[in-house]
Amino acid sequence: GQQVMQIPQYQHVQEGEDFTTYCNSSTTLSNIQWYKQRPGGHPVFLIQLVKSGEVKKQKRLTFQFGEAKKNSSLHITATQTTDVGTYFCAGTNSGGSNYKLTFGKGTLLTVNP
Amino acid sequence: KAGVTQTPRYLIKTRGQQVTLSCSPISGHRSVSWYQQTPGQGLQFLFEYFSETQRNKGNFPGRFSGRQFSNSRSEMNVSTLELGDSALYLCASSLVLDSRIYNEQFFGPGTRLTVL
């Protein structure tokens, strides 16, 4: 079945440093979503990418969807302590059922002030 | 608009018992998905319902079941509980605009299930 791999599993940075998490799918995706889960909280939707090669920005966050629609990345510029949490990518298999999101295992980001 | 609500928030059960968890989606959302979250396995998809029909199911044993009511509220049931069922169970609702695109999931706070 579809697998979504996410790396790294953990990332610790100093405040002000940049951070990137990568997501790779074993199959072509129709779309990919990114979520953030704060410690003790629930996942909160950040963004959805649909088009091949798409790049979207939200303030210090930049999201990319690969040309082959099999990989994606989230880059945070100049991290802040408010960025702490686990970042998940989630993809829907292209050509298959559109009713199932497969989540990566997430990247836990910690920021040292 | 009220968010997704889940009840109960915490539950302690013993092995062999069964449990029913409830989820009320955001008003107007007809798609409800359930996920199991554990530290080792991350977020794993259980099933998704739309208009009272289960449209997809994850790779979980038949002990895990669910249903959706006409008002879009959903329940999931786990029978014959095992220690490994201890997890955070998350429900998420979604507004279905285009069946080709899986839309933004709005998650509830979850039910923390502990099996002793």
Side-chain angles (χ1 to χ4, degrees), chain B residues 35-90:
Chain B
Y35 298 88
Q36 182 195 65
Q37 186 173 33
T38 58
Q41 296 300 318
L43 271 163
Q44 292 190 288
F45 173 81
L46 281 157
F47 25 66
E48 190 260 359
Y49 287 88
F50 178 77
S51 291
E52 302 178 66
T53 300
Q54 184 183 93
R55 298 196 295 184
N56 209 342
K57 192 177 191 304
N59 297 323
F60 279 81
R63 299 185 296 108
F64 292 81
S65 63
R67 59 177 175 169
Q68 186 179 35
F69 302 95
S70 58
N71 61 358
S72 294
R73 190 177 69 84
S74 178
E75 289 181 346
M76 68 162 281
N77 185 275
V78 188
S79 63
T80 319
L81 284 166
E82 301 178 358
L83 295 178
D85 297 332
S86 293
L88 179 67
Y89 290 88
L90 291 160

Side-chain angles (χ1 to χ4, degrees), chain B:
Chain B
K1 194 181 258 191
V4 177
T5 57
Q6 291 187 246
T7 56
R9 294 292 310 278
Y10 302 91
L11 207 49
I12 299 176
K13 292 285 187 179
T14 55
R15 279 182 299 172
Q17 289 187 308
Q18 75 164 25
V19 66
T20 299
L21 312 181
S22 181
C23 171
S24 292
I26 291 172
S27 177
H29 287 194
R30 295 163 62 191
S31 170
V32 174
S33 299
W34 287 90
Y35 298 88
Q36 182 195 65
Q37 186 173 33
T38 58
Q41 296 300 318
L43 271 163
Q44 292 190 288
F45 173 81
L46 281 157
F47 25 66
E48 190 260 359
Y49 287 88
F50 178 77
S51 291
E52 302 178 66
T53 300
Q54 184 183 93
R55 298 196 295 184
N56 209 342
K57 192 177 191 304
N59 297 323
F60 279 81
R63 299 185 296 108
F64 292 81
S65 63
R67 59 177 175 169
Q68 186 179 35
F69 302 95
S70 58
N71 61 358
S72 294
R73 190 177 69 84
S74 178
E75 289 181 346
M76 68 162 281
N77 185 275
V78 188
S79 63
T80 319
L81 284 166
E82 301 178 358
L83 295 178
D85 297 332
S86 293
L88 179 67
Y89 290 88
L90 291 160
C91 160
S93 73
S94 177
L95 185 63
V96 178
L97 299 173
D98 182 340
S99 62
R100 295 168 298 176
I101 298 290
Y102 208 95
N103 293 295
E104 171 185 357
Q105 300 280 289
F106 292 83
F107 283 84
T111 294
R112 174 75 60 185
L113 173 65
T114 302
V115 182
L116 302 176

Side-chain angles (χ1 to χ4, degrees), chain A residues 84-104:
Chain A
V84 164
T86 301
Y87 292 85
F88 294 96
C89 62
T92 303
N93 195 19
S94 176
S97 166
N98 286 322
Y99 317 128
K100 174 182 173 182
L101 268 181
T102 301
F103 279 79

Side-chain angles (χ1 to χ4, degrees), chain A residues 46-49 54-65 73-77:
Chain A
L46 293 176
I47 208 159
Q48 176 164 271
L49 304 172
E54 191 170 14
V55 178
K56 287 189 176 181
K57 292 190 176 184
Q58 289 180 350
K59 297 182 180 178
R60 295 178 294 105
L61 277 61
T62 302
F63 303 85
Q64 293 188 330
F65 200 9
S73 66
L74 157 60
H75 179 82
I76 302 178
T77 304

